[in-house]
Amino acid sequence: MSNTPLMPKATAVWLVDNTALSFDQIAGFCKLHPLEVKAIADGESAQGIKGLDPISTGQLTREEINRGQANPNYKLKLAEQSVRVPEAKRRGPRYTPVSKRQDRPNAILWLVRHHPELKDAQVMRLVGTTKPTIQAIRDRTHWNSANLSPMDPVTLGLCSQIDLDMEVEKAAKYLPQTEQPEAAQLLSAEETTNADALAAAALGGMTPTPPSSSEDEIPDADAVFAKLTSLKSDDASED
């Protein structure tokens, strides 16, 4: 909350006309110059301004005025307001000091490259620039494009990290949502606990070979003797 009373000149007019406070006390309370208060008392200034009673508006108490009149060095204090009125936020482009204005194109280039989701109005609020300048930097048609280098606006002192994060968060809400891949469907308990599945898991995912029939397990006598005969003939040929 501001320490300046509402309508300071009208309050000063009332205090000059209705109290014995000194010019310095009235000037300190109303945040005016003592010479301006003296001009009000002489009728040279604020001739068309109607005095505003600070007691009726709750900005000053009668006890506070009495203390000021008893002591010329006493500084009047603004009464504590029961209802706090929030200060109006400044609208319009952000003011950039003259010493930092040459860094704005570099900051705009950084924002365009690292946060392309930001709108022009958001960039304007962050670094205090104009829409044609932003468009020229986007299109590489800026008169100094060849010498521009992207630089963080927070590092340059053009905006705070909180302001940048807020603008990026706002811009992220308007981005199209990407479709997430569907999760793999899990198999049922019956499919994962049957005998074939357990055998496949034991073999490392390989399908088990079918068991041989009983006929294959009984060897054929003729085939055995024929194989032995061939082995003997091979040994004889080697000798």
Side-chain angles (χ1 to χ4, degrees):
M1 179 179 176
S2 176
N3 293 326
T4 305
L6 298 174
M7 302 178 66
K9 279 193 175 182
T11 302
V13 170
W14 190 92
L15 292 174
V16 168
D17 295 338
N18 298 275
T19 66
L21 296 170
S22 65
F23 294 159
D24 292 336
Q25 288 176 311
I26 297 175
F29 178 74
C30 298
K31 301 296 186 290
L32 300 175
H33 196 278
L35 294 179
E36 188 174 2
V37 177
K38 184 178 183 301
I40 292 174
D42 296 338
E44 300 175 358
S45 176
Q47 296 180 0
I49 297 178
K50 184 180 179 180
L52 177 65
D53 185 1
I55 299 176
S56 62
T57 56
Q59 301 180 89
L60 199 61
T61 62
R62 177 59 66 180
E63 292 77 8
E64 188 73 8
I65 293 176
N66 293 335
R67 281 193 289 267
Q69 293 178 144
N71 182 9
N73 297 324
Y74 181 78
K75 294 182 179 180
L76 299 177
K77 298 178 181 178
L78 191 67
E80 186 70 19
Q81 300 292 325
S82 58
V83 178
R84 294 183 177 272
V85 180
E87 296 182 1
K89 293 185 178 179
R90 176 183 54 83
R91 294 185 177 272
R94 180 189 297 271
Y95 173 76
T96 305
V98 178
S99 60
K100 296 182 180 180
R101 291 181 184 178
Q102 60 183 358
D103 297 329
R104 282 189 300 190
N106 295 329
I108 296 171
L109 182 60
W110 188 92
L111 292 172
V112 169
R113 287 189 179 181
H114 292 81
H115 296 287
E117 70 277 8
L118 291 177
K119 298 181 179 179
D120 291 349
Q122 293 178 300
V123 178
M124 291 168 60
R125 285 196 297 267
L126 288 173
V127 298
T129 184
T130 60
K131 195 169 185 177
T133 303
I134 300 173
Q135 191 62 34
I137 293 177
R138 288 183 188 273
D139 300 340
R140 304 294 296 175
T141 57
H142 191 268
W143 65 273
N144 197 27
S145 295
N147 299 323
L148 294 182
S149 59
M151 299 183 67
D152 189 351
V154 178
T155 305
L156 295 173
L158 296 175
C159 67
S160 65
Q161 187 65 48
I162 296 176
D163 293 338
L164 178 58
D165 293 341
M166 288 178 60
E167 296 296 344
V168 172
E169 184 178 356
K170 289 179 183 178
K173 294 180 180 179
Y174 298 98
L175 290 177
Q177 299 293 334
T178 57
E179 297 183 357
Q180 299 293 337
E182 296 182 359
Q185 186 177 1
L186 298 177
L187 300 176
S188 62
E190 296 178 356
E191 294 176 346
T192 56
T193 56
N194 58 28
D196 295 339
L198 294 176
L203 294 175
M206 299 176 61
T207 56
T209 56
S212 59
S213 61
S214 59
E215 295 180 355
D216 295 338
E217 294 177 356
I218 301 175
D220 187 5
D222 295 338
V224 172
F225 285 117
K227 189 172 183 180
L228 291 174
T229 303
S230 62
L231 290 174
K232 289 181 178 180
S233 61
D234 292 341
D235 294 339
S237 61
E238 290 179 358
D239 294 339

